Amino acid sequence: MNCSVGSGLHIVLTGAPGCGKGTQARLLKEKIGIAHLSTGEMLRAEAKTGSDLGRKISELIDKGNLVSDEMIIEMLSKRIDEQDCDKGFILDGFPRTLPQAEVLEGMLKDKGINLDGVVEIQVPDEIIMERILGRYSCMKCGAQYHDRFIKPKVYGVCDVCGGTNFYRRIDDNMNTVKNRLVNYRSLTYPTIPYFENKGLLKTVDGTGTIEATSEKIQKALNIIKD
Ligand code: AMP
């Protein structure tokens, strides 16, 4: 894989829920200034509006089920056409099924975009459970914390914005996480050999620190050298 940042980098970060895709995508966005497209965040934003569609989305997300391929594909295609994607983007949470992976290829081709690489972040299920069940975010700025691993410097106060209200995702509970992992194995995992066969896949161990994993991802994408 030979990625040139200057010509715009278009990548997919994939892996099981809780493997760190969102955290790593945010870091990469900061580092190389390309857009971070999280389909989960797009869906949560729609769910928040309380529209009919939003209510249907909430029901699916809260149980750990996937929304339909058609809906998410339409949403993503429109998002890619926005101006901040001109310099490239990181897809986080998409594609999540084989049909989504196949459509992505055609969609990008139509838009004249080349997919530069797919990075799979590997983390065992026990660690995933621990990470997801302990994570929470600042209500005001979205900064992310963890009961054990990433505590704010002052208890109950956000390091970034000083906010004092925090929330946990409704789908970050034991039963839903189990269902999300089952869905990952049966629906999303088949996209891994699909991308491998296309010569696009890089696998990275995501069990280390956030910084260590970020470095591995950047090396895999040739953003930094070994
Ligand atoms: P995430 O924030 O990536 O963990 O996504 C949260 C939830 O949004 C998932 O459990 C699904 O219910 C839904 N979702 C996110 N991305 C997709 C996608 N590409 N296809 C279908 N459902 C999705």
Side-chain angles (χ1 to χ4, degrees), residues 16-18 21-22 38-44 57-69 71-73 76 92-97 100 132 135 169 171-172 176 180 183 188:
K21 297 185 291 293
S38 157
T39 45
E41 277 172 20
M42 290 176 209
L43 291 167
R44 281 189 288 279
I57 290 173
S58 281
E59 264 174 41
L60 291 165
I61 291 186
D62 294 355
K63 291 194 182 107
N65 293 324
L66 300 188
V67 308
S68 75
D69 288 340
M71 182 198 294
I72 199 74
I73 285 162
L76 182 71
D92 155 18
F94 187 98
R96 242 181 171 98
T97 63
Q100 288 182 16
I132 292 188
R135 72 184 178 182
R169 277 171 50 174
D171 58 341
D172 280 354
T176 304
R180 285 160 66 194
N183 281 333
T188 310

Side-chain angles (χ1 to χ4, degrees), residues 59-103:
E59 264 174 41
L60 291 165
I61 291 186
D62 294 355
K63 291 194 182 107
N65 293 324
L66 300 188
V67 308
S68 75
D69 288 340
E70 294 72 24
M71 182 198 294
I72 199 74
I73 285 162
E74 195 188 327
M75 217 176 239
L76 182 71
S77 176
K78 282 190 192 148
R79 180 65 186 86
I80 288 178
D81 293 338
E82 287 179 30
Q83 207 192 348
D84 65 327
C85 293
D86 285 355
K87 287 193 193 140
F89 52 72
I90 307 149
L91 291 179
D92 155 18
F94 187 98
R96 242 181 171 98
T97 63
L98 209 44
Q100 288 182 16
E102 287 161 354
V103 169

Side-chain angles (χ1 to χ4, degrees), residues 114-133:
N114 227 6
L115 187 59
D116 294 296
V118 176
V119 180
E120 179 201 7
I121 306 174
Q122 285 187 336
V123 176
D125 285 4
E126 319 81 76
I127 298 183
I128 278 176
M129 276 290 175
E130 202 178 15
R131 283 188 184 174
I132 292 188
L133 297 180

